[in-house]
């Protein structure tokens, strides 16, 4: 007869209860009813029988479970080499190279922009910037970005950066390749159009005094300092080229250093301190010899410096969030003689090249407003400045004010409107109106 386990448990429990009841009845005074010896023996036998059946069912269930998880027996005895391979642990780190274990992610941003500037024809433009991210292993990462935009009758594709990074420990990483220059915090952190709150970039720190990208190697990381935090980045790369053959640009630096012009390499970096949550101050620098090797300018050395301040805080008083970003840079190139023979038509011209420029930008977004439409608006004001060409013969000093209004359709998608008052020194104004739609993904 087949007896189910739940039924046995119920019967067993009832018998235990009756057994306890019988023991209590035997201990009661004689005037109460009691269980006879015969009845007690019968209950005892039934308990023993149920216990035996329960133990048997448990035993059978245990055998069935082992049979399910036991591996099937091999059809043949493994060779000695196979036994050794099975018993040998997987070589350390080799599991990271197994195909299919790396991770890939596609990110980036795109924009469509309308620009109407005084003295120029109004124009629509668009760019697409895909960012490719690979995690080759938990410690080995690759990142690359392209900029794709229409150019003439075709499409222009540029490599913005491509870097392989290895995570040494919690406080240091090493990277090699083409990377955004750590000495220029604007380019490294705010250049992407869905992060930059205005449609165009600031003077001096973009296409101006500081490098934007570098080819070389860098180390970077972050460390705690008491209650503060600090971050650092130092790098060595191809150096800039000294412009010396054009009167308008003589003494300035060319940072498109795909290949160097001498054996001296640029060394630079940035150190940042975060004394409070949402507050960071930083100092960046780059030093190099930009003159072409074997020429009279080979000894000339350049030294670039910058300071920056970045604050992002929410204010109950202002019922919203305030973003403040500012950066100022100085360029100093040793005295040199340009066009020493006069063959280029503007020399000999001797001077020490000094130039400066920067920007300050503040943005306010009423994130605590009771109306969703207001919460999505952001007002931006920026001042930026660029000193004149050091030779005095080229680009004049330039100063601009920009007023912008953004409407955020999502965390990384915005519609931007901006008007810019551009006032180059002793030249006609080149004011501009911008409309831009941008999204990051």
């Amino acid at each position: 007869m087949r007896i189910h386990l739940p039924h046995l448990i119920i019967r067993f429990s009832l018998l235990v209860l009756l057994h306890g009841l019988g023991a209590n009845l035997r201990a009661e005074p004689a005037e109460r009813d009691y269980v006879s010896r015969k009845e007690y023996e019968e209950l005892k036998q039934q308990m023993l029988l149920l216990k035996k059946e329960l133990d048997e069912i448990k035993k059978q269930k245990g055998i069935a479970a082992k049979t399910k998880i036991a591996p099937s027996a091999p059809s043949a005895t493994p060779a000695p080499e196979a036994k050794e391979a099975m018993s040998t642990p997987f070589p350390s780190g080799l599991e990271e190279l197994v195909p299919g274990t790396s991770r890939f992610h596609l990110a980036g941003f795109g924009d469509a922009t309308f620009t109407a500037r005084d003295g120029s024809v109004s124009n629509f433009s668009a760019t697409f910037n895909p960012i490719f991210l690979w995690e080759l292993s938990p410690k080995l990462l690759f990142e690359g970005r392209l900029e794709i935009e229409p150019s003439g009758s075709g499409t222009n594709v540029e490599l913005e950066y491509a870097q392989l990074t290895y995570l040494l420990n919690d406080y240091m990483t090493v990277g090699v390749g083409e990377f955004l220059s750590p000495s220029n915090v604007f380019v490294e952190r705010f250049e992407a159009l869905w992060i930059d709150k205005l449609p165009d970039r600031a003077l001096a720190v973009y296409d101006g005094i500081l490098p934007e990208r570098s080819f070389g190697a860098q180390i970077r990381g972050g460390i705690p300092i008491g209650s503060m935090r600090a971050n650092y980045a130092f790098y060595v790369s191809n150096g800039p080229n000294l412009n010396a053959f054009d009167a308008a640009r003589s003494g300035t630096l060319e940072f498109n250093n795909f290949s160097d012009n001498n054996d001296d390499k640029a060394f630079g970096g940035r150190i940042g301190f975060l004394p409070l949550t949402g507050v960071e101050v930083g100092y960046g620098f780059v030093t190099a010899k930009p003159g072409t090797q074997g020429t009279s300018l080979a000894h000339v050395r350049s030294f670039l410096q910058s300071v920056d301040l970045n604050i992002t805080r929410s204010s109950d008083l202002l019922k919203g969030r305030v973003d403040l970003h500012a950066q100022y840079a100085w360029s100093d190139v040793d005295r040199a003689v340009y066009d020493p023979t006069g063959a280029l038509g503007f020399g000999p011209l001797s001077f020490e090249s000094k130039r400066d420029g920067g920007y300050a930008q503040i943005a306010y977004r009423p994130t605590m407003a009771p109306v969703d439409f207001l919460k999505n608006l952001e007002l931006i004001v920026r001042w930026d400045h660029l000193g004149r060409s050091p030779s005095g013969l080229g680009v004049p000093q330039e100063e601009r004010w920009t007023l912008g209004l953004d409407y955020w359709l999502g965390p990384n998608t915005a519609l931007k409107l901006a008007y810019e008052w551009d006032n180059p020194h002793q030249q006609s104004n080149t004011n501009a109106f911008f409309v831009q739609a941008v999204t990051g993904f």
Side-chain angles (χ1 to χ4, degrees):
M1 181 178 64
R2 184 177 181 183
I3 301 176
H4 294 286
L5 179 60
H7 295 164
L8 284 172
I9 294 174
I10 294 172
R11 291 171 59 185
F12 184 75
S13 302
L14 289 174
L15 286 173
V16 171
L17 180 61
L18 289 174
H19 176 64
L21 181 60
N24 288 336
L25 289 174
R26 288 194 305 274
E28 290 293 328
E31 65 267 21
R32 293 196 177 186
D33 294 335
Y34 64 93
V35 178
S36 66
R37 180 69 181 180
K38 181 180 179 181
E39 292 174 330
Y40 171 74
E41 290 296 336
E42 289 177 355
L43 288 172
K44 181 178 178 181
Q45 289 299 324
Q46 291 183 28
M47 279 181 52
L48 292 175
L49 181 61
L50 287 173
K51 185 176 184 301
K52 183 178 179 181
E53 292 178 357
L54 184 60
D55 291 341
E56 184 67 23
I57 291 175
K58 287 182 177 180
K59 183 178 178 180
Q60 291 177 359
K61 285 186 173 291
I63 293 172
K66 290 180 181 178
T67 303
K68 289 181 180 179
I69 63 173
S72 59
S75 59
T77 303
E81 295 83 358
K83 289 183 178 179
E84 182 179 354
M86 287 188 292
S87 61
T88 302
F90 211 58
S92 176
L94 189 58
E95 64 275 4
E96 298 175 355
L97 304 178
V98 177
T101 58
S102 63
R103 299 179 181 180
F104 170 78
H105 179 69
L106 176 64
F109 61 93
D111 77 280
T113 306
F114 172 76
T115 305
R117 185 179 294 277
D118 292 348
S120 301
V121 176
S122 61
N123 188 56
F124 284 98
S125 62
T127 64
F128 173 51
N129 293 257
I131 301 174
F132 305 93
L133 305 168
W134 276 277
E135 183 185 274
L136 304 173
S137 77
K139 288 192 173 184
L140 190 60
L141 312 173
F142 176 83
E143 179 181 7
R145 173 183 146 196
L146 300 176
E147 183 174 85
I148 305 172
E149 61 180 344
S151 177
S153 59
T155 301
N156 185 35
V157 180
E158 292 187 2
L159 179 65
E160 294 297 300
Y161 57 81
Q163 178 179 217
L164 186 66
T165 301
Y166 185 76
L167 310 180
L168 286 176
N169 52 52
D170 292 342
Y171 305 102
M172 182 179 294
T173 65
V174 178
V176 293
E178 182 186 11
F179 46 86
L180 300 176
S181 295
S183 55
N184 191 340
V185 71
F186 174 83
V187 167
E188 190 178 57
R189 298 189 190 176
F190 310 120
E191 176 194 44
L193 289 173
W194 70 275
I195 297 175
D196 188 6
K197 298 181 184 299
L198 290 173
D200 69 333
R201 274 88 177 227
L203 292 170
V205 295
Y206 193 88
D207 290 330
I209 295 175
L210 295 175
E212 298 168 26
R213 287 153 186 81
S214 298
F215 291 83
Q218 65 170 323
I219 59 172
R220 62 188 308 138
I223 53 175
I225 303 178
S227 60
M228 296 195 311
R229 292 179 297 153
N231 53 66
Y232 66 89
F234 300 103
Y235 68 96
V236 58
S237 70
N238 292 340
N241 297 330
L242 179 63
N243 292 313
F245 304 103
D246 178 9
R249 304 176 64 203
S250 289
T252 63
L253 300 176
E254 178 63 53
F255 295 108
N256 291 330
N257 53 358
F258 304 107
S259 59
D260 211 337
N261 61 354
N262 57 50
D263 290 329
D264 185 86
K265 297 295 174 258
F267 174 69
R270 179 184 176 275
I271 301 175
F273 296 94
L274 293 86
L276 301 170
T277 302
V279 178
E280 181 180 8
V281 293
Y283 169 77
F285 70 95
V286 189
T287 181
K289 286 185 176 181
T292 302
Q293 189 165 298
T295 68
S296 60
L297 301 175
H299 68 284
V300 174
R301 177 166 291 278
S302 63
F303 185 57
L304 315 178
Q305 302 179 81
S306 70
V307 293
D308 59 84
L309 172 65
N310 302 287
I311 300 175
T312 300
R313 301 295 292 267
S314 293
S315 170
D316 292 333
L317 179 63
L318 298 176
K319 303 298 182 183
R321 187 184 66 219
V322 177
D323 287 310
L324 171 64
H325 302 295
Q327 186 175 356
Y328 208 85
W330 298 266
S331 172
D332 189 350
V333 180
D334 289 347
R335 178 173 293 276
V337 177
Y338 300 89
D339 187 20
T341 63
L344 299 177
F346 65 90
L349 190 63
S350 175
F351 61 91
E352 181 181 1
S353 174
K354 289 182 177 291
R355 206 177 187 197
D356 65 281
Y359 80 99
Q361 174 181 296
I362 187 168
Y364 168 71
R365 183 175 177 181
T367 54
M368 303 178 192
V371 181
D372 288 341
F373 176 79
L374 295 177
K375 287 181 181 179
N376 295 329
L377 290 175
E378 189 164 20
L379 181 66
I380 308 101
V381 178
R382 184 185 68 194
W383 167 87
D384 53 340
H385 161 82
L386 178 63
R388 68 174 186 168
S389 177
S391 67
L393 303 175
V395 178
Q397 179 175 304
E398 186 174 3
E399 187 170 347
R400 305 188 307 193
W401 284 91
T402 307
L403 178 64
L405 181 65
D406 295 352
Y407 184 79
W408 291 90
L409 301 171
N412 52 2
T413 303
L415 178 64
K416 306 177 186 178
L417 301 175
Y419 191 83
E420 186 174 84
W421 292 267
D422 192 352
N423 184 26
H425 184 62
Q426 295 181 344
Q427 289 194 0
S428 300
N429 294 341
T430 54
N431 301 340
F433 172 70
F434 301 93
V435 180
Q436 185 180 78
V438 61
T439 185
F441 56 89

